[in-house]
Amino acid sequence: MQITKKFIVVGAGIVTLVAGGGVAFAATTSPAATPNVTAAAPKVTAEQAMQIAHKEVAGAWVSEVDYQRRGTRPDVWEVELTKGTQRHELDVDAATGKVTKHETDKNDDHGRDDHGHDDD
């Protein structure tokens, strides 16, 4: 009779551990426990953002395109273009396609440091 009691107590302990582990597993995989990492895609595509940037800076070539999620501010496509010795950085609103920023500076990537000397 003692063997049966021990077997029942051990069996109940295993069931408790399995049930507790199952609850812990369910709690960590529930939708409320995992953040929403997939956000809606932008309405304006990268291709459209580049076309918009080309309209702003005709004859330039695109050197970089990045999608920036900005939290409380509107998400943008950051498009960098080069035309001659000028580098243009534009922000294109990912929802409306409106250019929200256009900065221009001289492109100094010709093998010289900031003082006009060769890098050698």
Side-chain angles (χ1 to χ4, degrees):
M1 185 102 181
Q2 288 184 2
I3 295 174
T4 308
K5 287 182 183 179
K6 287 181 183 178
F7 198 65
I8 292 172
V9 170
V10 172
I14 291 173
V15 170
T16 303
L17 287 175
V18 171
V23 170
F25 179 76
T28 59
T29 59
S30 69
T34 56
N36 185 7
V37 292
T38 56
K43 292 180 181 178
V44 175
T45 66
E47 183 68 32
Q48 291 168 327
M50 288 188 289
Q51 290 172 355
I52 292 165
H54 274 130
K55 287 180 185 176
E56 286 282 317
V57 187
W61 59 275
V62 175
S63 57
E64 189 174 329
V65 177
D66 291 313
Y67 183 68
Q68 297 292 317
R69 293 189 189 276
R70 299 210 167 154
T72 59
R73 297 183 313 169
D75 297 339
V76 296
W77 287 101
E78 291 182 351
V79 183
E80 185 175 297
L81 302 107
T82 302
K83 183 176 181 180
T85 60
Q86 296 291 312
R87 187 171 56 107
H88 300 264
E89 293 180 25
L90 285 83
D91 284 356
V92 179
D93 188 299
T96 65
K98 180 181 175 186
V99 175
T100 58
K101 180 182 92 171
H102 184 166
E103 294 179 355
T104 305
D105 59 359
K106 188 170 180 165
N107 189 358
D108 290 331
D109 295 337
H110 298 294
R112 296 185 176 269
D113 64 15
D114 290 338
H115 304 290
H117 304 287
D118 287 334
D119 289 336
D120 299 313

